[in-house]
Amino acid sequence: MPFEDPIAAAGAMQRLRDQLDYLRLLAARVTGGAANQMLMVALGWQMYDLTGSAWDLGLVGLAQFLPALLLTLPAGHLVDQHDRRLLLAASLGLQLLTAGCLALASGGGWVGPNLILGLSVLLGCARALQMPAQQALLPSLVPPELLPRAIATSSSTMQAAIIAGPALGGVLYALGPWAAGRVEHSTAASAVAHWGAAIVYGVSLLLLVAAVLAVLTIRHRPLQVRRAAPGLEQLTAGIRFIWQRPVVLGAISLDLFAVLLGGATALLPIFVRDILHTGPAGLGLLRGAPALGAVLVGLWLSRYPIARRAGHWLLGAVAVFGLSMIGFALTTSFLVAFAVLAISGAADMVSVVIRQSLVQLETPDEMRGRVGAVNSVFIGASNQLGEFESGATAALLGPVGSVLLGGFGVLVVVALWFRLFPALAQRNALQPPTT
C-alpha cells in the first residue's frame, strides 16, 4: 500500500494535536485565508461590474504578482534574519489595512478600477512577506517526522477556509440589493451600487484581526543565525539552493507551469455570468468547488500520508488537474462545472502536499525563509500571473478557448517533466534526506 499503517497513523495524529503553537498557526491560516478568498471574490466581481472587461480581470492578478516578484528576495532574507511570527503578523496587518480601505471606498461610493488595481498592488506586497514567513514558521512548530502530516492537515483546513470564504463572500455580495433598499433614501447612489462589496470587505477585515491575534500568541522561537547584511550572495542563496537540487526544482516548477497554464480562477466571473448564467452566489460556490475536493483529499492525507512512489503520485495528480480544466471548459452545466472543479482541487491537494513536503524536508531551517520566498514567487506566478495569462488569452480566444488551451498545456508539461526530472518522477518516500 502507498499509505501509512492505520495504527501508526492514529498515534501520530494525536501527537500532532498536542502541538499547540502549530494549532495557533493553523487558526491564523484559516481566518486569514478565508478573509483573503473573500477579498478575491469581491475584487473580481466588482472589477467586472465596473468595466465588463476580461483584460481588467487579468490586470488584478498582474497587479498582485509584480510586487511579489520584486520583493521576494528581500522578504526571504528578512524571514531568515528576524522573528517570523512578527513578520507574518505584519503581512496580515497590511491586508487588514487594504480591506479597510476597500470597505470605506465601496461604502462611500468612490471606488473605481484604478483604486482596485492600486490596492491589489498592496495585497501583492503583503503576500511577498506572508508566504515565506508562513512556510518557514511551520517546520519549527512540529517534529520533522510529523511534517508531511502537518502540511496535509494545514492544507486541508486552509482549503476548508477557501470553501467557506468564497461562498460567504458571494452570499454577502448578493446582499447588496437588500442593503440598497435599506438605504434607498441616501443621496450617495454610487455607494449603494457597491454596498455588497463593502459588506464583504468589512467581514474580511474582522477575520484578519483574528488572524493577527492568533499569530501573536505563538511562542517566540529565536533563530540561531548570524546577522548578515542583505548582499547579493545572501539574497540569491535560495535560488542557488533550489537550482542545485533537481527534486526541489522539478516539484516547484511543475506547479508553476501547471497552474500558470491551467488556472481558470480569473475567468470565473465570465463563465458564471455569460456561460453558466448565474450570479455572485454562484461565483462564490464555483470558487469554493476546488477547495471542496481538496479538503476531502487533504483530510485523508493528513491521516494516511503517501508512503511510497511520491513522484508518480505528484505527476499523475497534475495530469488529472489538466484533464479537469478541459472538462470545465467544455461544459455549460453549473453542476458539471462544480464537479470538475472539485476534482481539480482534489488533484491539486495531492500535488501541494507532496511538493511542500519535499521542499521543507530538503531545506535546512536557516535557509527556509529564502527558499520559501523563491517558492512563493513560483506560487504567485502560477496564480496571479496565471490570472493575467487567462485574461489575456481569453481576450484573444474567448474564455472557453483560453481554458481549453491551458488544460492541454498542463498535459504537455507533465509529459515533459517525466523526461526532464527523472529524480522527481522516481522519488519514493517523503522523508528527510540522509546525510
Side-chain angles (χ1 to χ4, degrees):
M1 291 291 292
F3 301 106
E4 193 176 64
D5 175 71
I7 297 176
M13 283 300 294
Q14 182 57 53
R15 288 183 61 201
L16 187 61
R17 287 192 289 268
D18 291 337
Q19 311 297 317
L20 296 182
D21 284 333
Y22 166 72
L23 296 180
R24 294 182 180 107
L25 178 62
L26 205 58
R29 290 197 65 184
V30 169
T31 52
N36 189 267
Q37 290 299 311
M38 291 171 64
L39 285 173
M40 293 305 98
V41 167
L43 281 173
W45 194 269
Q46 192 171 34
M47 178 63 89
Y48 197 52
D49 262 346
L50 289 167
T51 68
S53 167
W55 174 261
D56 287 332
L57 283 176
L59 286 179
V60 173
L62 183 63
Q64 294 179 47
F65 171 70
L66 288 179
L69 175 64
L70 296 174
L71 297 175
T72 183
L73 296 182
H77 180 76
L78 276 176
V79 169
D80 281 338
Q81 295 286 311
H82 301 284
D83 188 340
R84 291 165 177 170
R85 300 171 314 129
L86 297 181
L87 293 175
L88 178 55
S91 69
L92 291 167
L94 192 57
Q95 294 174 60
L96 189 158
L97 177 64
T98 303
C101 291
L102 286 166
L104 290 173
S106 298
W110 41 275
V111 67
N114 290 335
L115 179 66
I116 290 176
L117 290 176
L119 291 175
S120 293
V121 171
L122 198 59
L123 283 175
C125 293
R127 287 181 179 177
L129 186 58
Q130 178 184 2
M131 295 188 69
Q134 196 166 260
Q135 290 179 27
L137 185 58
L138 173 58
S140 68
L141 305 182
V142 296
E145 65 272 14
L146 294 180
L147 185 58
R149 195 181 312 272
I151 290 173
T153 302
S154 179
S155 297
S156 62
T157 52
M158 183 64 185
Q159 293 301 324
I162 293 174
I163 294 173
L168 179 59
V171 170
L172 291 175
Y173 202 111
L175 289 176
W178 173 85
R182 300 290 293 178
V183 294
E184 60 183 354
H185 299 299
S186 170
T187 57
S190 58
V192 171
H194 297 284
W195 202 264
I199 296 172
V200 178
Y201 297 138
V203 174
S204 299
L205 186 151
L206 295 176
L207 289 173
L208 287 164
V209 169
V212 171
L213 293 176
V215 170
L216 293 177
T217 61
I218 297 173
R219 288 173 296 178
H220 177 52
R221 287 172 165 79
L223 294 174
Q224 303 299 319
V225 297
R226 293 184 301 171
R227 300 294 182 195
L232 182 62
E233 183 177 353
Q234 291 292 327
L235 292 177
T236 59
I239 298 174
R240 295 196 306 274
F241 181 90
I242 292 172
W243 186 259
Q244 294 165 2
R245 286 157 179 80
V247 170
V248 177
L249 176 62
I252 293 177
S253 59
L254 175 66
D255 178 76
L256 165 67
F257 287 104
V259 183
L260 173 64
L261 294 172
T265 302
L267 302 180
L268 283 180
I270 301 174
F271 274 88
V272 166
R273 174 178 287 179
D274 300 336
I275 297 174
L276 302 175
H277 306 296
T278 183
L283 174 62
L285 289 173
L286 285 187
R287 281 193 68 109
L292 176 61
V295 73
L296 295 175
V297 171
L299 289 173
W300 173 269
L301 291 177
S302 67
R303 190 166 184 85
Y304 304 109
I306 292 171
R308 294 192 299 110
R309 303 188 67 180
H312 281 82
W313 277 88
L314 174 62
L315 289 159
V318 175
V320 171
F321 175 82
L323 291 171
S324 300
M325 291 299 99
I326 294 172
F328 174 73
L330 295 175
T331 188
T332 57
S333 164
F334 182 86
L335 291 178
V336 173
F338 186 92
V340 294
L341 287 177
I343 293 171
S344 77
D348 188 54
M349 175 56 72
V350 176
S351 169
V352 165
V353 171
I354 296 174
R355 172 173 51 82
Q356 290 189 5
S357 297
L358 288 173
V359 172
Q360 297 288 17
L361 288 169
E362 300 217 356
T363 305
D365 187 60
E366 66 273 11
M367 285 289 300
R368 284 195 171 113
R370 283 164 287 180
V371 171
V374 177
N375 189 25
S376 71
V377 170
F378 280 71
I379 294 172
S382 64
N383 288 291
Q384 280 76 54
L385 191 57
E387 291 180 7
F388 175 71
E389 178 270 338
S390 296
T393 55
L396 296 173
L397 305 175
V400 173
S402 173
V403 178
L404 266 179
L405 179 65
F408 283 111
V410 171
L411 298 181
V412 172
V413 166
V414 171
L416 286 174
W417 259 237
F418 260 110
R419 297 291 301 273
L420 294 175
F421 297 96
L424 175 64
Q426 299 303 319
R427 180 64 180 252
N428 191 29
L430 294 176
Q431 296 176 351
T434 56
T435 57

